[in-house]
Amino acid sequence: MGNVRAGILGTGHSYPEGILTNADLEKTVETSDEWITTRTGIKQRRKAAPGEYTSQFAVRAARQAIERAGLEPSDIDLILCATVTPDQILPSTGCLIQAELGAHRAAAMDVVAACSGFLYGLTLANTMVQTGQSRNALVIGAEILTQYVDYSDRQTCVLFGDGAGAAVLGPVEGDRGILATRIKSDGRYEEQLYSPGGGTRRPPSAETLASGDHFFKMKGNELFKVAVRSMADISREVLEQAGLTAEDVSLFIPHQANQRITDAVANKLNVDDARVYSNIAMHGNTSSASIPIALDECVEAGRIKKDDLILLASFGGGVTWGGVLMRW
Ligand code: ACO
């Protein structure tokens, strides 16, 4: 590929006002703040109110990212919205966001890769910018997972939250920008995390609704092990691709799934706590939104400085996983 490198020009995030605490969940399922905290690290998650929908949060996050990039919506020529909880089946949430932003020059679409969606989007946008097919690409991760959570299933209902994060990618000068990306999937693990109803295989009906087929179903224990192994492996792969090691990493921002997963991956990579970002206590698992929300929180808090080496790694339903390494 040519010499153009893509880098992040601006970030943003947004989430609903509503908060669901562990104490709230204690009232509805057989669980405890103590169990949730020690097994997951989660204390609360954001929950959209009835009537709120995914693209509303995506648009707020996107506006912030575009403004911080010093651009206008009309400068954006590619919109990739990573989501497994779209506003509707057709058109894509990407197109709905495009209309709301007034980004009329953009090609827009959704990326469906569950918790890895944002890193899939960054990887695709990176290639589009590098090849000159796009100049300013907007990559969003946005979810309202709480609408697909079965609040009678204590294993899943404590984990998920809502929100959106966005980043604008464009050409950058010098040594900055995205140094390495890698995305992978293995569909044989479909049933580790899935939602069987509502598509063409099990079209929505009174029966699928009654049996709760539209809810997320998960084999948490099995996912845990695959997640730790895959995120550690792909992190090593992108570091190797760039000729760097985990020692060089300034900040590791993993997908926020479970504090124990984050700790185990960081431990495997030998990245000490001071270089690992976690917001799981405040947000729970927001799937594709988790990395861009975390990234923007780090930018806002001044935790990322020029020339820092940032490592992102994700794992999610599919199963899918990915790694992105960039020089800020
Ligand atoms: N409150 C109290 N008890 C619970 C709860 C709860 N909310 N949920 C499960 N338990 C019980 C189980 O029923 C089980 O009881 P039993 O021993 O009597 O059968 C016991 O706690 C232990 O259950 P495990 O499933 O072994 O608990 P584990 O330590 O694996 O934690 C968890 C479960 C938190 C789901 C963990 O496996 C996990 O985080 N997995 C990753 C899942 C994930 O993050 N998925 C998101 C998508 S993929 C991704 O983003 C990585």
Side-chain angles (χ1 to χ4, degrees), residues 31 35 39 154-155 193 218 220-221 255 257-258 260 285:
T31 191
W35 192 97
R39 296 295 181 118
R154 69 178 179 174
Q155 207 209 41
L193 177 60
M218 188 181 76
N221 234 312
H255 166 52
N258 181 321
R260 285 159 53 221
N285 181 346

Side-chain angles (χ1 to χ4, degrees), residues 288-306:
S288 70
S290 98
I291 290 179
I293 290 176
L295 186 64
D296 189 43
E297 284 181 351
C298 290
V299 171
E300 285 184 343
R303 271 196 78 170
I304 300 183
K305 296 175 296 299
K306 191 170 173 290

Side-chain angles (χ1 to χ4, degrees), residues 1 5 46 59 70 83 126 214 253 261 278 280 314 319-320 328:
M1 233 164 271
R5 201 176 263 172
R46 295 288 171 152
V59 165
T83 186
N126 179 48
H214 55 292
I253 307 179
I261 293 181
S278 171
I280 188 89
S314 68
V319 293
T320 55
W328 199 257

Side-chain angles (χ1 to χ4, degrees), residues 119 122-124 126-127 130 178-183 234 237-238 241 322-325:
L119 295 195
L122 267 192
T123 299
L124 300 175
N126 179 48
T127 308
Q130 278 186 322
I178 294 182
L179 308 180
T181 64
R182 199 154 186 84
I183 48 176
I234 209 145
E237 283 175 39
V238 286
Q241 215 175 302
V324 170
L325 187 69

